Amino acid sequence: MKTNSAPLARKFHTQIETPTVRRVRARGLQVPKTSSCRPGPLTRRPGREICRLGILLLVIVVVAAAPTAEPKIAIIDLKRVFDKYWKTKQANADLDEQKADISKKKKGILDDYQKVTDDYKKLVETANDQAVSSDERERRKSAAEKKLMELKEIEQTATLFQRNSEENLALQVRRRTENILRDIRELVDAKARAAGYTLVIDTAAQTGAGTPFVLYNNGQNDLTEEILSQLNAAAPIGLQKPDAEKDKSGDKNEDKKEGKK
């Protein structure tokens, strides 16, 4: 199955979308235009200012604690690692399957609703037919009232199904995001400790205004590819091939096609 990392990635730097009752909109984890310096599904706007202040204080504390030695700082593109991690792709595939199943069930409910609505309209139209006996008209009116009650029950079922579906998917998105971020942070922590880094900065982080948090870095001590490679080392068959290799193979295929022309 072809997976798409966009839904899960979009939730990576923002809070879970509040469920609505009008339609199922389970989009998976998404990355909005703005994000905090500490990406996560439970990020709130006030927390961004606290997070930025926390990083500034952390740098000051590190420098003050080691006046005779320069801090050893590493960088990582956390968004790239998150997006390209095989568990992110697998999570998106699972969410896509669940959304397809929800859409199928929702269509069944809507089809039932439409059928009962048509039956109700017919009963209402024939309930006042003077060509039939008064007993028959009363029978049709009673049947129309029962259909109306059935319509209301279907409406309640549809509303409850939609709300529960959205809440369940939102909960899964949050849990999977937290689990994936825990994997990444544990590995980054181990690598940083082993190499003696005093600080690891996310170069993909943005301020509350949507501007880059890190304005410049020289590219040294970049842990991105090393962390990503180690995370994907245990990927199942079919998810092990790095995206870079896929891109290269795609470019070669295009070159061959152009050569044939």
Side-chain angles (χ1 to χ4, degrees):
M1 172 187 294
K2 180 179 180 181
T3 61
N4 179 10
S5 63
L8 192 59
R10 284 197 295 271
K11 280 290 182 188
F12 174 42
H13 284 285
T14 192
Q15 65 187 57
I16 299 300
E17 181 179 350
T18 303
T20 61
V21 296
R22 283 186 276 181
R23 61 185 183 128
V24 175
R25 296 182 58 197
R27 300 179 181 175
L29 298 170
Q30 306 172 0
V31 173
K33 295 181 180 179
T34 62
S35 58
S36 70
C37 54
R38 188 186 178 207
L42 303 181
T43 300
R44 298 295 188 270
R45 182 170 293 276
R48 294 171 179 166
E49 301 301 327
I50 295 174
C51 192
R52 285 186 291 172
L53 178 60
I55 288 184
L56 178 59
L57 291 176
L58 178 59
V59 173
I60 294 174
V61 169
V62 169
V63 173
T68 59
E70 292 185 2
K72 188 177 180 182
I73 299 175
I75 60 174
I76 186 171
D77 186 337
L78 190 54
K79 181 180 181 300
R80 172 174 170 77
V81 173
F82 186 92
D83 291 350
K84 303 302 180 182
Y85 187 18
W86 71 268
K87 286 188 178 181
T88 303
K89 299 178 181 181
Q90 186 179 66
N92 282 324
D94 293 341
L95 290 172
D96 286 342
E97 289 181 0
Q98 292 184 52
K99 287 187 286 185
D101 184 59
I102 289 172
S103 297
K104 183 178 179 180
K105 291 179 180 178
K106 183 179 178 181
K107 184 179 182 303
I109 294 175
L110 293 176
D111 289 343
D112 291 341
Y113 183 82
Q114 187 60 51
K115 182 179 182 303
V116 175
T117 299
D118 293 340
D119 293 341
Y120 171 72
K121 289 180 179 179
K122 290 179 181 178
L123 289 171
V124 170
E125 290 174 357
T126 59
N128 297 319
D129 188 356
Q130 299 300 318
V132 299
S133 65
S134 59
D135 290 341
E136 177 62 19
R137 289 198 297 272
E138 288 299 323
R139 188 189 69 78
R140 293 178 182 179
K141 287 181 181 179
S142 177
E145 291 176 356
K146 291 181 179 179
K147 284 294 180 183
L148 182 59
M149 293 179 61
E150 188 176 348
L151 278 176
K152 292 181 179 180
E153 290 177 357
I154 295 177
E155 288 177 352
Q156 294 175 355
T157 299
T159 300
L160 183 61
F161 172 77
Q162 185 167 303
R163 182 172 65 247
N164 289 341
S165 298
E166 289 182 341
E167 290 177 353
N168 290 337
L169 282 176
L171 179 61
Q172 289 188 54
V173 163
R174 188 180 70 186
R175 286 178 176 174
R176 294 184 188 211
T177 300
E178 292 173 349
N179 291 337
I180 290 171
L181 284 176
R182 183 174 60 249
D183 288 352
I184 297 172
R185 293 192 63 177
E186 287 178 353
L187 185 55
V188 170
D189 183 77
K191 291 287 184 183
R193 289 179 183 274
Y197 292 115
T198 54
L199 190 66
V200 179
I201 297 177
D202 176 19
T203 58
Q206 293 183 333
T207 67
T211 57
F213 186 84
V214 178
L215 298 180
Y216 169 78
N217 73 84
N218 60 9
Q220 293 182 356
N221 301 331
D222 191 341
L223 303 179
T224 303
E225 298 307 321
E226 181 181 357
I227 294 295
L228 186 57
S229 177
Q230 189 163 340
L231 286 171
N232 287 333
I237 304 287
L239 292 176
Q240 291 180 338
K241 192 173 184 181
D243 290 304
E245 293 183 12
K246 292 181 181 179
D247 294 339
K248 290 180 180 179
S249 62
D251 292 339
K252 290 180 180 179
N253 291 334
E254 290 296 327
D255 292 339
K256 290 180 180 179
K257 290 180 181 179
E258 291 180 1
K260 290 181 180 179
K261 292 180 181 180

